[in-house]
């Protein structure tokens, strides 16, 4: 077991960490202390401009933090999905500066002029790791998982280019959505259109 830090080491531990965003729970684990006892120390680091408080109980080393990492720290459990992933994969062409996140509630937050959009997804789906990839300090959906999340939450949705979607992966992940017949039919229609080059 790691030794408990001594005075002077606390900040160094955070600065050496590969994380760019820390919740008070993260800090408690790194410092092996109780959350209520670390608040004063964190507040002092913020006051001395050694850390930045970006949201209640969330701290960063500086303003160059990873926005996706922050997105998944605001409400947990959560993972980056929907348009954020689909745009990066070229499945939709519209660029969104906001970050879309699958979570246990629907909410919007604005932090440092960036909008974070949280979409509520059923807990059994949210907690299932099929098609979820680790990006180090946060989790992000694969293009196939983001496609399915989007289909699941929308009656109809226009995808610009489904040519990059791996349909085997889609059907491997599909059962986590509970065998919803309507969703299965929608997925089949999207696949058929994609194979005909209609989107």
């Amino acid at each position: 077991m790691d030794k408990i830090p001594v005075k002077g080491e606390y900040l160094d531990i955070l600065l050496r960490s590969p994380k760019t965003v820390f919740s008070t729970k993260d800090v408690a684990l790194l410092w092996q202390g109780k959350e209520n006892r670390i608040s004063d120390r964190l507040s002092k680091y913020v006051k001395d401009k050694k850390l930045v408080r970006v949201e209640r109980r969330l701290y960063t080393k500086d303003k160059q933090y990873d926005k996706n990492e922050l997105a998944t720290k605001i409400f947990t459990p959560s993972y980056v999905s929907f348009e954020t992933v689909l745009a990066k994969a070229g499945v939709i062409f519209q660029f969104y500066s906001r970050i879309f996140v699958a979570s246990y509630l629907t909410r919007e937050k604005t932090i440092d002029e960036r909008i974070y959009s949280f979409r509520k997804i059923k807990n059994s789906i949210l907690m299932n790791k099929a098609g979820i990839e680790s990006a180090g300090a946060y989790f992000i959906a694969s293009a196939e998982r983001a496609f399915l999340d989007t289909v699941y939450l929308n009656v109809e949705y226009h995808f610009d280019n489904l040519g990059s979607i791996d349909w085997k992966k889609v059907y491997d992940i599909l059962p986590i959505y509970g065998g919803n017949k309507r969703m299965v039919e929608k997925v089949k229609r999207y696949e058929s259109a994609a194979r005909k080059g209609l989107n």
Side-chain angles (χ1 to χ4, degrees):
M1 187 174 177
D2 294 336
K3 64 185 179 70
I4 295 171
V6 296
K7 189 175 180 180
E9 289 183 346
Y10 289 95
L11 182 63
D12 286 343
I13 288 169
L14 298 186
L15 297 180
R16 286 197 307 265
S17 169
K19 293 176 185 287
T20 67
V21 182
F22 303 91
S23 67
T24 50
K25 284 186 178 179
D26 293 330
V27 177
L29 285 171
L30 287 168
W31 288 353
Q32 298 182 34
K34 293 182 179 177
E35 279 185 71
N36 61 348
R37 292 184 178 175
I38 65 174
S39 296
D40 289 345
R41 191 180 295 275
L42 288 170
S43 294
K44 183 178 186 312
Y45 289 146
V46 170
K47 186 179 177 182
D48 294 344
K49 300 189 183 322
K50 292 176 179 177
L51 292 176
V52 178
R53 182 186 285 115
V54 288
E55 176 72 352
R56 185 171 174 267
R57 296 177 176 266
L58 290 177
Y59 301 83
T60 64
K61 297 174 185 179
D62 52 43
K63 288 289 186 177
Q64 305 307 310
Y65 58 86
D66 187 316
K67 307 300 187 290
N68 286 346
E69 187 181 348
L70 174 62
T72 59
K73 291 281 187 183
I74 298 169
F75 300 114
T76 57
S78 62
Y79 59 89
V80 177
S81 187
F82 308 110
E83 286 85 353
T84 301
V85 173
L86 296 174
K88 188 176 178 182
V91 176
I92 60 172
F93 296 153
Q94 184 171 347
F95 170 76
Y96 292 90
S97 60
R98 70 177 58 203
I99 295 176
F100 294 90
V101 186
S103 186
Y104 62 91
L105 79 176
T106 297
R107 196 74 48 89
E108 271 199 356
K109 281 256 188 192
T110 302
I111 299 173
D112 287 340
E113 300 179 5
R114 173 90 55 170
I115 300 171
Y116 297 85
S117 291
F118 298 86
R119 292 179 180 164
K120 182 177 180 178
I121 205 155
K122 199 167 148 184
N123 199 51
S124 60
I125 300 168
L126 180 66
M127 301 304 291
N128 196 300
K129 297 296 186 193
I132 300 294
E133 301 163 356
S134 172
Y138 63 92
F139 289 100
I140 186 167
S142 64
E144 291 75 20
R145 173 72 180 251
F147 163 75
L148 286 168
D149 285 347
T150 303
V151 171
Y152 179 73
L153 290 189
N154 292 275
V155 176
E156 286 297 326
Y157 194 94
H158 174 71
F159 298 95
D160 297 302
N161 172 32
L162 289 171
S164 62
I165 292 292
D166 183 325
W167 293 100
K168 184 185 182 305
K169 288 181 182 177
V170 166
Y171 286 107
D172 285 345
I173 300 167
L174 188 54
I176 75 170
Y177 297 87
N180 182 317
K181 288 182 180 178
R182 197 175 302 170
M183 181 164 173
V184 172
E185 287 305 312
K186 282 199 290 183
V187 169
K188 285 180 178 177
R189 286 200 303 272
Y190 281 122
E191 180 194 13
S192 177
R195 293 197 186 283
K196 291 173 184 174
L198 298 179
N199 61 20

